[in-house]
Amino acid sequence: MATIQIRGLVKQFGPVTAVNGLSFDVAPGTVTGFLGPNGAGKTTTLRILLGLVSADAGTATIDGLSYRELPEPLHQAGAVLEAAGFHPGRTARAQLRIQALAADADASRIEDVLDLTGLTAAADRRIGGFSLGMRQRLSLATALLADPEVLILDEPANGLDPEGVRWLRGLLRGFAAEGGTVLVSSHLLAEVAQTVDSVVIINSGRLVAQGPVAELTAGGAGLEETFFQLTGEASR
């Protein structure tokens, strides 16, 4: 399975340095939490990794290749960056049919991912009537449709109720247990602590800490306290 590697990544937007010399790895078979306060550079890093933004310096690769170099990118990396962007008049099933064609995914996967994300009963409802949590589930279904090796998720718990967060935790743990690679950004630190194997914490575009959760909190502090000590900001 694939490894994510970030090496010396730099990105500036005018006078603002969004990412500043960032380096870290995400290994197969693990869930890595990508943490930092708002504006820390998490989303910019993920967008560079997915080929949506060009870096000014450094590299962001999946299995040694940039996203644009991947021979079958949707089969190799599934992503959720936001829950918007679906046509409100389409049903969930129709949306997935269109995505399956675009990804050259087997049509049988549509029913699989609807079941996996708990959307089977809502599959023929129009997306315009979906809650934010249901849109997040549909985004995850879309990301999983081509049976990728890697999941790259930006705040996937947004809009999910407590039951949905528990479901998401099980989904990510199961994906990693089968050898998949998961990078998930979040500011919901208490939930991340119960989901991830390790964390990467950034602030002002720079790496401030990385490693297994147990090691970072070995001094007796919880993850939220450690986060505050490293970034000076409370989680929200």
Side-chain angles (χ1 to χ4, degrees):
M1 301 296 277
T3 298
I4 295 172
Q5 291 187 320
I6 307 296
R7 291 287 181 273
L9 206 62
V10 176
K11 181 62 184 178
Q12 288 189 265
F13 295 102
V16 177
T17 302
V19 184
N20 194 350
L22 185 62
S23 298
F24 64 89
D25 292 350
V26 182
T30 66
V31 181
T32 296
F34 191 32
L35 309 179
N38 290 336
K42 302 187 302 295
T43 297
T44 298
T45 300
L46 299 186
R47 290 178 67 82
I48 292 171
L49 181 59
L50 291 166
L52 300 173
V53 173
S54 297
D56 296 324
T59 59
T61 61
I62 299 169
D63 210 16
L65 299 173
S66 70
Y67 186 84
R68 293 173 183 174
E69 296 172 326
L70 294 174
E72 296 181 298
L74 296 178
H75 288 269
Q76 291 166 279
V80 174
L81 293 188
E82 55 185 25
F86 298 123
H87 191 294
R90 288 194 191 119
T91 66
R93 195 187 306 278
Q95 177 66 34
L96 291 172
R97 285 197 189 111
I98 292 168
Q99 185 64 23
L101 288 171
D104 194 25
D106 193 311
S108 65
R109 285 286 295 168
I110 293 172
E111 298 307 317
D112 291 343
V113 298
L114 284 169
D115 181 61
L116 188 61
T117 55
L119 286 176
T120 299
D124 296 312
R125 287 175 49 189
R126 296 186 187 278
I127 299 169
F130 278 16
S131 65
L132 176 57
M134 291 176 71
R135 287 171 179 260
Q136 285 287 57
R137 287 175 181 261
L138 182 56
S139 294
L140 283 159
T142 302
L144 292 163
L145 190 56
D147 198 18
E149 300 176 359
V150 173
L151 284 178
I152 300 165
L153 310 176
D154 193 13
E155 303 282 1
N158 277 355
L160 296 180
D161 59 18
E163 179 183 351
V165 172
R166 287 191 294 272
W167 161 80
L168 177 63
R169 184 185 309 144
L171 176 71
L172 300 186
R173 294 304 326 161
F175 186 86
E178 294 181 359
T181 307
V182 182
L183 178 61
V184 53
S185 80
S186 182
H187 62 272
L188 301 174
L189 303 182
E191 294 297 341
V192 166
Q194 299 176 59
T195 305
V196 304
D197 301 293
S198 61
V199 295
V200 173
I201 301 176
I202 68 172
N203 196 23
S204 300
R206 291 181 177 273
L207 180 71
V208 295
Q210 65 177 320
V213 172
E215 286 185 11
L216 291 179
T217 59
L223 186 56
E224 295 213 24
E225 183 178 345
T226 300
F227 179 88
F228 179 78
Q229 290 171 349
L230 291 168
T231 66
E233 295 204 24
S235 65
R236 295 190 274 282

